[in-house]
Amino acid sequence: MATNTTSTTVCPAPMKATSNGSFQGESPLDFALPLAILQICLVVALTRVLAFLLRPLRQPRVIAEIIGGVLLGPSALGRNQKFLHTVFPAKSMTVLDTLANIGLLYFLFLVGLELDLRSIRRTGSKALAIAVAGISLPFILGIGTSFALRSTISKGVPQAPFLVFMGVAMSITAFPVLARILAELKLLTTDIGRIAMSAAAVNDVAAWILLALAIALSGSNSSPLVSLWVLLSGTAFVLFAIFFLKPALALMARRSPEGEPIKELYICITLSLVLAAGFVTDTIGIHALFGAFVVGIVVPKDGSFGRVLTEKIEDLVSGLFLPLYFASSGLKTNVATISGGLSWGLLVLVICTACFGKILGTTTISMLFKVPFREALTLGFLMNTKGLVELIVLNIGKDRKVLNDQTFAIMVMMALFTTFITTPIVTAIYKPARKGAPYKHRTVHRKDPETDLRMLACFHSTRNIPTLINLIESSRGIRKRGRLFIYAMHLMELSERSSAISMVHKARINGLPFWNNKREDTDQMVIAFEAYGQLSSVTVRPMTAISSLDNIHEDICTSAHQKRVAMVLLPFHKHQRLDGAMESLGGSFHKLNERVLRHAPCSVGILVDRGLGGTTQVLASEVSFKIVVPFFGGRDDREALAYGMRMAEHPGIMLTVVKFVVPSGKSLRHSHVPSVGISANKMMENKKTLEEADKSDSHDDRDQEEEDDLILSDFVSACSNNESMLFEEMKVESKRDVVEALKALNKFNLFLVGRMPPMARLVERSDCPELGPIGSFLASSDFSTTASVIVVQQYAPKANLQPLVEEQANNGDSYIEVPDTPMAT
């Protein structure tokens, strides 16, 4: 008896959106929404951890996102089938890919917002030729490589689409990733940065045109007429966007004046246009991403409309949705398919071909335009940057069956490698020399007090502004002596946001922070200083420094040299809480102050802010501060006293100088103590050296005492003509006496102290040794809750062994400083 069996294929039921909860016996991972939430959290957490680990290597976040996606896929964690089927089951990929592509739509809209076609039209022949060479040679070599791949691991794929996809993938330069790398290296607004960005912008537009061609050729219908209709329809859409969408968006931008909130309707219309354009281009057959990119390009770049759009969506898109696209791409990448000598040989071939084409083409053309070899080679490596657009091309090729798993994995590894090497290689081969003309007045204490005083006041939050303005007001004096020039620098950390890159464009020139008469931003912190400058006799120049906190000290020091300032004022890395305790803002600000102290070309003051004048600006007629200078001796104390004498000219300032006197035969400073870990034998060997050092110190001490007596005699003579200046002497014999004396002075509003007086430390343990023995005690929570402190370090030419600016007497090609007044030279 025969039995007929029929086999039927049962499709899995679609996932429901939400579950009834685990208490009802349902697993949340079997439902779309909770599973999507888990996937998003996992992807974001993994990529952020990787970004943190790669931060010391100064890698862009896209590297961490690519690596994170690959790790989640079958190359690493996905090798565990239980993990893969539980967290990333096949039935959930439609939801994940949809969310990822929606995020990608808006990210490419942001990329279009960053891309200004006017800058491409203004691109000179040099940048245009570099862009063409950077596209043409890699494209040709990519086509050549495709023949090697088709004859080995990509047999049977359609020839024409495969050639174009390989050529495009080899020739792309990632515009947003390049901008981030240039901003990180402070090259964005230098000549080499401008050339690279202009060439990358041309490259980006050309890449999208070639990608549209590749998509048109890779359709399932083999008729050439279909590809022609796709290209013509795509061209018609671009023309529609230029002649209809652009005027409509420009109208909304004109109705959104600077400084006023943009209507919610305009934001909604624009974001809906992005989706609608994506639908149209997907219907045409050139992918929805193309429509979003075109809408971003036609949005007006002037005014606040584009900036507000970016601020509204960039954190959500870049922080949550974009990593999903890298995870989706990583789930398709199986590095294990690259196995055997042939596959690894092809990987090396693809990497070498991609690097050779970009670097050789860019370097050769750059040198033909008389760009020096080092700069030309740097341009070559910068233009070799890959990133998100590369992955988009590869994913589209894989979805359309143009690239198989092995070829896809090889190309992803190539993109990862070429981007990873860019920052370390550029850092190694190109170190632009900062050059400047030498200047004379690097300290407040000088022979001619009638000269102008220039100060660079730094701040990184609104909390510092009232005290800084009150301090500036107290420093201006009233006599017809040298004027006071203040450069107020807002310190901002360079973030991964797209808006940060546009801010760098506005806030830098020639790689350095600058002050611009035609400021269009609405930085309220800067406006506060501008308003004060207009209402007072002090010349205030606001500046903005946007850099990584690891190297923002370079901006501070080079700007101080460029502006020829005598003192840099830095905010302390701690702020006072309501209960009076000092709370740290983070180790990055602490290290920043230490680096400035080490590299500054002038004197430095660190401001411990305890609310000088309260939380608001004090009117000039209401300034009434009591300032004390504890004087122990030494160059730093003399600098603090010189600054105090300048402030004492203000009628609302009462200055008291307390000289601490030690009985003869006693000393408050440390004796020579060997460093930890030095053996007894080594101590005996160094005994002679220490004795010689003692003799040298004794001679130096006599010189220091003579200079101390000289400035104190000047101050005492000034006291006779100014009732607001007082001089006292206080005898102390031990550290305890000093501590008690300082505590007795805590009713003063402001302490001016030297950083390194000849004094032993007053506290056994301190987490701020950069303030010196006196400053670290005054900055402690145990000392006072009302007295602000400025710890001063005088510039010492012999101590500045690592200057960041190379001084040249003839500064022909260096940075040209804009005069503060028509009379300045």
Side-chain angles (χ1 to χ4, degrees):
M1 181 175 179
T3 303
N4 293 328
T5 58
T6 58
S7 61
T8 58
T9 303
V10 180
C11 296
M15 298 180 74
K16 293 183 179 180
T18 58
S19 72
N20 293 322
S22 58
F23 291 110
Q24 300 293 331
E26 294 182 346
S27 172
L29 299 183
D30 293 333
F31 296 84
L33 180 61
L35 182 58
I37 292 172
L38 175 65
Q39 291 169 343
I40 293 173
C41 293
L42 178 62
V43 170
V44 171
L46 179 61
T47 54
R48 291 291 175 160
V49 169
L50 289 172
F52 176 77
L53 295 176
L54 292 172
R55 188 181 300 170
L57 300 177
R58 303 175 75 176
Q59 292 294 333
R61 199 169 74 196
V62 67
I63 291 291
E65 290 168 337
I66 294 175
I67 295 175
V70 172
L71 290 179
L72 289 172
S75 303
L77 297 175
R79 296 177 71 88
N80 185 328
Q81 293 298 313
K82 185 176 181 180
F83 168 82
L84 192 63
H85 292 155
T86 303
V87 182
F88 295 102
K91 59 184 179 180
S92 73
M93 294 312 296
T94 301
V95 175
L96 181 66
D97 288 343
T98 302
L99 289 174
N101 279 280
I102 288 177
L104 193 60
L105 275 176
Y106 283 109
F107 181 79
L108 287 172
F109 168 68
L110 293 176
V111 173
L113 271 177
E114 291 181 46
L115 203 60
D116 192 349
L117 287 182
R118 293 173 301 180
S119 65
I120 296 179
R121 288 196 296 267
R122 294 194 298 265
T123 298
S125 56
K126 181 191 298 185
L128 184 61
I130 290 172
V132 172
I135 296 173
S136 304
L137 186 56
F139 190 86
I140 295 170
L141 292 177
I143 291 176
T145 307
S146 68
F147 286 104
L149 293 173
R150 284 191 77 243
S151 63
T152 51
I153 62 173
S154 298
K155 296 178 180 179
V157 298
Q159 182 174 1
F162 186 68
L163 297 181
V164 178
F165 266 103
M166 288 298 297
V168 173
M170 292 282 200
S171 59
I172 281 177
T173 296
F175 180 81
V177 180
L178 176 63
R180 182 67 181 78
I181 291 174
L182 289 171
E184 172 75 22
L185 299 178
K186 303 184 192 301
L187 299 176
L188 191 61
T189 58
T190 60
D191 288 339
I192 191 172
R194 280 190 285 267
I195 294 173
M197 288 294 286
S198 299
V202 176
N203 191 303
D204 219 27
V205 173
W208 280 102
I209 295 173
L210 292 172
L211 179 59
L213 174 63
I215 294 173
L217 293 174
S218 63
S220 57
N221 195 321
S222 59
S223 172
L225 286 178
V226 174
S227 299
L228 180 62
W229 275 113
V230 170
L231 289 176
L232 290 177
S233 301
T235 304
F237 169 76
V238 172
L239 294 175
F240 174 80
I242 294 173
F243 292 107
F244 292 95
L245 293 184
K246 187 175 182 180
L249 290 167
L251 178 64
M252 289 189 287
R254 286 196 299 271
R255 292 185 176 182
S256 305
E258 188 78 36
E260 294 185 11
I262 295 177
K263 291 183 179 180
E264 182 267 343
L265 178 64
Y266 294 165
I267 301 292
C268 182
I269 290 174
T270 307
L271 298 183
S272 300
L273 275 178
V274 175
L275 296 176
F279 174 80
V280 171
T281 51
D282 192 77
T283 304
I284 291 172
I286 52 175
H287 210 283
L289 305 178
F290 190 81
F293 180 71
V294 171
V295 173
I297 286 180
V298 299
V299 169
K301 304 301 187 288
D302 299 326
S304 62
F305 188 67
R307 187 181 70 246
V308 171
L309 281 172
T310 302
E311 293 172 352
K312 292 283 186 183
I313 64 174
E314 65 176 340
D315 286 340
L316 180 65
V317 171
S318 301
L320 284 183
F321 289 118
L322 193 59
L324 293 182
Y325 188 79
F326 291 99
S328 174
S329 177
L331 290 169
K332 303 173 189 174
T333 307
N334 190 356
V335 180
T337 59
I338 309 175
S339 59
L342 177 62
S343 295
W344 285 104
L346 289 172
L347 174 61
V348 173
L349 174 67
V350 168
I351 290 175
C352 292
T353 305
C355 295
F356 181 79
K358 274 287 186 184
I359 296 170
L360 180 67
T362 304
T363 304
T364 304
I365 296 299
S366 300
M367 293 182 68
L368 289 178
F369 278 90
K370 299 182 179 179
V371 176
F373 173 73
R374 188 180 293 269
E375 282 84 347
L377 186 62
T378 303
L379 272 174
F381 278 100
L382 288 171
M383 297 300 291
N384 196 36
T385 303
K386 301 290 190 291
L388 179 64
V389 182
E390 168 91 1
L391 286 185
I392 293 172
V393 172
L394 298 179
N395 276 283
I396 293 174
K398 191 172 190 304
D399 293 340
R400 293 182 174 246
K401 311 299 182 184
V402 176
L403 304 176
N404 60 23
D405 290 347
Q406 197 169 357
T407 306
F408 181 80
I410 287 175
M411 298 302 292
V412 169
M413 291 296 103
M414 180 271 291
L416 183 62
F417 178 81
T418 53
T419 307
F420 189 89
I421 64 174
T422 300
T423 301
I425 290 182
V426 169
T427 304
I429 66 175
Y430 185 66
K431 297 178 180 178
R434 296 179 178 87
K435 299 178 181 178
Y439 68 100
K440 182 178 180 182
H441 298 301
R442 298 173 184 262
T443 61
V444 179
H445 182 211
R446 57 187 69 167
K447 294 181 180 179
D448 184 9
E450 305 299 321
T451 52
D452 295 342
L453 176 61
R454 296 167 176 260
M455 300 178 69
L456 177 63
C458 302
F459 60 97
H460 41 68
S461 69
T462 54
R463 186 184 295 110
N464 309 127
I465 292 179
T467 294
L468 273 180
I469 292 181
N470 292 333
L471 191 62
I472 292 167
E473 170 62 28
S474 304
S475 305
R476 66 183 177 90
I478 58 170
R479 294 189 313 177
K480 294 181 179 179
R481 61 183 295 173
R483 296 160 297 173
L484 178 63
F485 292 94
I486 299 293
Y487 299 94
M489 178 178 282
H490 184 192
L491 305 179
M492 298 179 65
E493 183 176 9
L494 178 64
S495 68
E496 295 282 350
R497 292 188 176 98
S498 302
S499 56
I501 306 300
S502 61
M503 290 178 66
V504 171
H505 272 290
K506 293 179 180 179
R508 299 179 80 87
I509 188 170
N510 292 331
L512 286 172
F514 79 112
W515 171 72
N516 186 1
N517 279 314
K518 300 179 180 179
R519 296 185 65 91
E520 297 179 357
D521 61 340
T522 55
D523 189 339
Q524 299 301 318
M525 302 188 195
V526 167
I527 290 174
F529 283 98
E530 289 178 335
Y532 168 72
Q534 293 172 358
L535 296 174
S536 68
S537 59
V538 180
T539 303
V540 180
R541 296 286 185 261
M543 307 167 70
T544 304
I546 306 175
S547 291
S548 167
L549 291 181
D550 292 334
N551 54 32
I552 200 170
H553 69 281
E554 298 175 3
D555 288 337
I556 297 173
C557 295
T558 50
S559 299
H561 194 287
Q562 182 196 30
K563 300 301 180 184
R564 308 194 308 276
V565 304
M567 178 179 283
V568 174
L569 273 177
L570 298 169
F572 190 43
H573 70 278
K574 294 182 180 182
H575 71 94
Q576 189 175 41
R577 298 190 314 217
L578 293 176
D579 61 359
M582 300 298 290
E583 183 179 40
S584 176
L585 298 173
S588 298
F589 291 107
H590 190 188
K591 294 177 181 177
L592 162 64
N593 289 352
E594 291 178 341
R595 294 187 185 107
V596 175
L597 285 169
R598 188 160 55 246
H599 297 286
C602 59
S603 296
V604 179
I606 297 179
L607 171 62
V608 181
D609 182 10
R610 291 192 175 105
L612 181 66
T615 57
T616 58
Q617 177 186 341
V618 178
L619 297 175
S621 59
E622 298 178 0
V623 170
S624 179
F625 299 140
K626 294 181 179 180
I627 301 175
V628 62
V629 180
F631 194 89
F632 295 87
R635 64 168 64 247
D636 293 344
D637 278 20
R638 292 195 297 272
E639 186 75 356
L641 177 53
Y643 184 37
M645 292 171 68
R646 168 87 190 201
M647 298 176 73
E649 296 176 9
H650 195 288
I653 298 297
M654 175 73 73
L655 176 65
T656 301
V657 175
V658 179
K659 181 184 179 184
F660 287 82
V661 180
V662 181
S664 59
K666 291 190 176 183
S667 176
L668 294 176
R669 76 171 82 189
H670 277 302
S671 60
H672 286 293
V673 179
S675 300
V676 177
I678 296 181
S679 63
N681 292 333
K682 191 68 176 177
M683 289 171 57
M684 294 298 294
E685 293 174 4
N686 291 339
K687 184 176 180 181
K688 184 177 180 181
T689 305
L690 292 175
E691 290 175 353
E692 293 175 354
D694 285 333
K695 295 178 181 179
S696 176
D697 289 346
S698 177
H699 183 270
D700 184 61
D701 286 346
R702 286 193 295 271
D703 293 341
Q704 295 289 337
E705 289 174 1
E706 291 176 2
E707 295 187 31
D708 292 343
D709 294 339
L710 184 61
I711 192 172
L712 286 173
S713 64
D714 291 342
F715 178 77
V716 171
S717 62
C719 290
S720 59
N721 301 322
N722 191 340
E723 296 181 355
S724 63
M725 299 169 66
L726 300 174
F727 178 75
E728 298 178 10
E729 286 191 354
M730 190 172 294
K731 292 185 178 181
V732 290
E733 297 185 359
S734 63
K735 290 194 300 182
R736 180 178 298 180
D737 294 344
V738 175
V739 170
E740 294 299 327
L742 290 175
K743 286 184 176 181
L745 300 173
N746 65 1
K747 300 301 182 183
F748 284 84
N749 302 109
L750 178 65
F751 279 74
L752 295 176
V753 298
R755 175 174 174 256
M756 296 302 292
M759 176 71 199
R761 60 187 181 187
L762 300 181
V763 288
E764 293 300 324
R765 291 184 179 181
S766 173
D767 58 352
C768 46
E770 76 279 3
L771 297 185
I774 306 299
S776 56
F777 171 70
L778 297 179
S780 64
S781 301
D782 299 333
F783 173 69
S784 173
T785 59
T786 57
S788 297
V789 183
I790 297 180
V791 182
V792 179
Q793 172 184 275
Q794 187 183 62
Y795 173 72
K798 294 181 181 179
N800 191 16
L801 302 178
Q802 298 174 309
L804 295 175
V805 179
E806 178 185 345
E807 293 188 350
Q808 293 183 345
N810 186 5
N811 197 22
D813 296 327
S814 303
Y815 310 119
I816 300 174
E817 179 182 358
V818 179
D820 294 301
T821 65
M823 297 297 294
T825 57

